[in-house]
Amino acid sequence: MFVSESLNINEQGHLTIGGLDTTALAAEFGTPVIVYDWDGVRRNCRRFTESIDRYYGGNGRVLYASKAFCCLASCRLAHEENMGLDVVSGGEIYTALAAGFPADRLYFHGNNKSEQELAYALDAGVGAIVCDNPEELARISRIATETGKTARLFLRIKPGIDAHTHDFIRTGQIDSKFGFALETGEAMKQVKKTLASPGVELVGLHCHIGSQIFDTKPFVEAASVMMGFIADIRDETGYVVPQLDLGGGFGIRYTEKDDPIPLDRYMEPVSDEVRRVAKERSVPVPFILLEPGRSIVGAEAVTLYTVGSVKEIPGVRTYVGIDGGMGDNPRYILYQAGYTVLNAAKAGEPADDVVTVAGKCCESGDLIQENAPIRRVEAGDVLAVLSTGAYCYSMASNYNRIPRPAVVKVEGGQASVIIRRETPEQLIENDV
Ligand code: LLP
């Protein structure tokens, strides 16, 4: 059953989010619309920050991974909740600063940051840059020296753990465009280079082993490898790396097949392992950073669409045509991502149909879900797609010149727009 802290069914049998009727929200704000239970997002932020207190005695920080959903409101919320932000582009840095987010709590990621982005980040005074490759190290060192600054660096390390194979393996991730490999000695070489480079200070190591992970083992293994590397660095260079960023990747529920585990079940064994290796190798427990994105916002939003047509092809399938699609949610076309779809006005009634939900783009692959069980819908009904809070709006496009949807938050029982619906005028704004 989909009912959660954010979603419920009211007396009329309608789906609610944050206590408000989704059919009324669709009528008020129009469709397609993405609606967040903002109290739920805040709750998730607090779960993470409290877990840093519980498992690391407060010696750490949670960075919300902006890429999951980035706008002024999300940056303000992260600021209110005393978090940092993982940002991956000049655009995300700009958004955060425009929201009044303190630059020194921005952590700038990316495998190919441009010269302009690096100069912008250094000038703004970002808290740290997560360095990805040797050319970038040279670039940062040069810009910092030229401008009389010291860049605080993390090095992105590939711990050699592929969390997406059934039995995760320790070599798979060497084939990744991100970061420095441990096995080849590349990572140690870069650590030494960083320690010897002018204008930079090595403050931490970073790893991120993947996304939508349910198993705790790869996280524990990654923590073990990274702590071991901190000890190896101390042994070889005498330098004690003070901070360790363990990335994000915690899984959420999209369909009934997903069975996310409580946050404590990740945090406890990982922190145990960090302390175990610290003791065994006699290195201090580092300041710990986490970078959850999906698990902060993903399950706290629904996208509401209006059904325009129901096309039954006897013996083949039934297409339900909606007024959005891959433009606002490309995750099915990209990853065949599973979703739960509901007839918003009959959310409490059992499914009596199996349909393919199709978007409105001129593209046969523009689907939101295939073979989805649903309570029968017809033209004019509101169709809700659950768990669309992460990597939907942030990956939205204007394919076919379809304006991006509005985004609404429900907070304390009040709904308000946080991103206005795009207009046709905005679509031609940059055209010359
Ligand atoms: N830190 C780093 C360095 C990352 O690359 C990512 C995600 C995160 C943190 C946050 O991971 P999360 O907690 O959200 O799993 N577009 C894909 C997901 C791409 C994830 C990219 N990196 C999707 O829609 O499933």
Side-chain angles (χ1 to χ4, degrees):
M1 192 57 172
F2 61 83
V3 168
S4 66
E5 285 176 284
S6 294
L7 303 179
N8 217 325
I9 305 163
N10 65 15
E11 316 77 65
Q12 287 93 23
H14 296 181
L15 174 69
T16 64
I17 179 159
L20 299 188
D21 186 322
T22 52
T23 63
L25 288 164
E28 182 178 354
F29 296 100
T31 59
V33 63
I34 301 173
V35 185
Y36 282 85
D37 173 10
W38 214 238
D39 299 315
V41 175
R42 198 181 291 278
R43 224 170 14 240
N44 292 337
C45 293
R46 291 188 182 169
R47 279 190 186 129
F48 274 97
T49 46
E50 280 161 14
S51 73
I52 289 283
D53 293 340
R54 185 167 322 132
Y55 294 104
Y56 297 100
N59 191 36
R61 174 173 286 165
V62 184
L63 316 178
Y64 165 58
S66 281
K67 68 207 84 181
F69 174 60
C70 179
C71 63
L72 294 176
S74 68
C75 296
R76 286 189 202 114
L77 178 65
H79 185 20
E80 285 159 18
E81 293 302 319
N82 239 325
M83 298 161 87
L85 282 183
D86 150 2
V87 288
V88 286
S89 69
E92 287 190 353
I93 295 175
Y94 181 83
T95 307
L97 295 177
F101 199 90
D104 65 356
R105 279 197 269 128
L106 298 178
Y107 293 70
F108 187 21
H109 284 269
N111 69 306
N112 190 15
K113 309 168 190 77
S114 73
E115 175 93 14
Q116 290 80 355
E117 285 175 316
L118 288 170
Y120 175 50
L122 280 168
D123 187 52
V126 296
I129 300 176
V130 184
C131 180
D132 180 88
N133 54 73
E135 293 92 331
E136 187 170 276
L137 174 60
R139 223 171 277 142
I140 297 169
S141 172
R142 176 175 47 74
I143 300 171
T145 315
E146 279 167 10
T147 53
K149 297 200 156 63
T150 302
R152 290 161 53 81
L153 293 194
F154 278 66
L155 294 187
R156 172 134 189 187
I157 307 297
K158 299 186 229 192
I161 289 160
D162 186 348
H164 294 288
T165 57
H166 183 61
D167 285 317
F168 63 90
I169 46 173
R170 291 272 307 263
T171 52
Q173 277 300 94
I174 220 172
D175 182 10
S176 161
K177 71 170 180 172
F178 297 106
F180 301 102
L182 268 184
E183 293 94 322
T184 58
E186 189 194 2
M188 185 61 89
K189 197 168 132 199
Q190 287 308 311
V191 166
K192 291 178 181 166
K193 243 189 174 162
T194 307
L195 291 174
S197 297
V200 301
E201 179 194 354
L202 178 61
V203 291
L205 300 180
H206 170 276
C207 69
H208 171 76
I209 57 171
S211 203
Q212 186 62 0
I213 302 168
F214 291 112
D215 193 357
T216 59
K217 276 188 267 163
F219 287 104
V220 173
E221 189 73 7
S224 185
V225 169
M226 296 297 286
M227 284 299 296
F229 188 46
I230 287 179
D232 292 346
I233 293 170
R234 191 270 326 271
D235 292 350
E236 274 201 38
T237 69
Y239 185 72
V240 179
V241 177
Q243 302 198 16
L244 175 59
D245 185 337
L246 292 168
F250 313 97
I252 64 160
R253 171 169 298 186
Y254 285 97
T255 69
E256 287 189 0
K257 278 186 231 144
D258 298 323
D259 193 13
I261 56 176
L263 182 59
D264 287 341
R265 295 253 307 272
Y266 293 107
M267 296 296 289
E268 191 173 0
V270 170
S271 64
D272 284 349
E273 183 64 11
V274 166
R275 274 188 298 274
R276 188 191 68 74
V277 181
K279 191 159 176 232
E280 185 182 284
R281 303 284 305 268
S282 305
V283 284
V285 172
F287 184 84
I288 296 288
L289 298 118
L290 297 175
E291 290 172 348
R294 191 192 309 271
S295 51
I296 299 279
V297 288
E300 310 308 330
V302 299
T303 305
L304 305 175
Y305 302 99
T306 301
V307 174
S309 65
V310 180
K311 205 172 275 179
E312 195 179 332
I313 309 175
V316 182
R317 63 164 101 202
T318 299
Y319 283 101
V320 170
I322 53 168
D323 55 355
M326 63 183 278
D328 59 81
N329 183 355
R331 295 192 69 258
Y332 187 76
I333 199 167
L334 282 174
Y335 320 117
Q336 289 73 54
Y339 280 105
T340 301
V341 303
L342 292 174
N343 179 337
K346 295 182 178 165
E349 297 174 35
D352 58 356
D353 207 356
V354 173
V355 302
T356 289
V357 179
K360 60 183 279 155
C361 286
C362 282
E363 180 102 13
S364 302
D366 175 17
L367 306 174
I368 291 290
Q369 202 60 201
E370 289 178 274
N371 306 318
I374 192 169
R375 186 74 188 182
R376 199 171 294 268
V377 285
E378 51 190 57
D381 285 348
V382 174
L383 183 140
V385 180
L386 311 189
S387 298
T388 55
Y391 305 110
C392 288
Y393 195 88
S394 63
M395 295 205 297
S397 77
N398 289 127
Y399 183 44
N400 290 171
R401 292 240 148 173
I402 296 169
R404 276 173 290 194
V407 182
V408 164
K409 70 169 178 178
V410 178
E411 191 170 24
Q414 299 291 319
S416 60
V417 172
I418 53 174
I419 305 180
R420 285 191 283 272
R421 184 178 304 286
E422 219 165 19
T423 63
E425 293 75 27
Q426 286 173 314
L427 294 175
I428 60 163
E429 216 163 54
N430 296 324
D431 294 11
V432 178

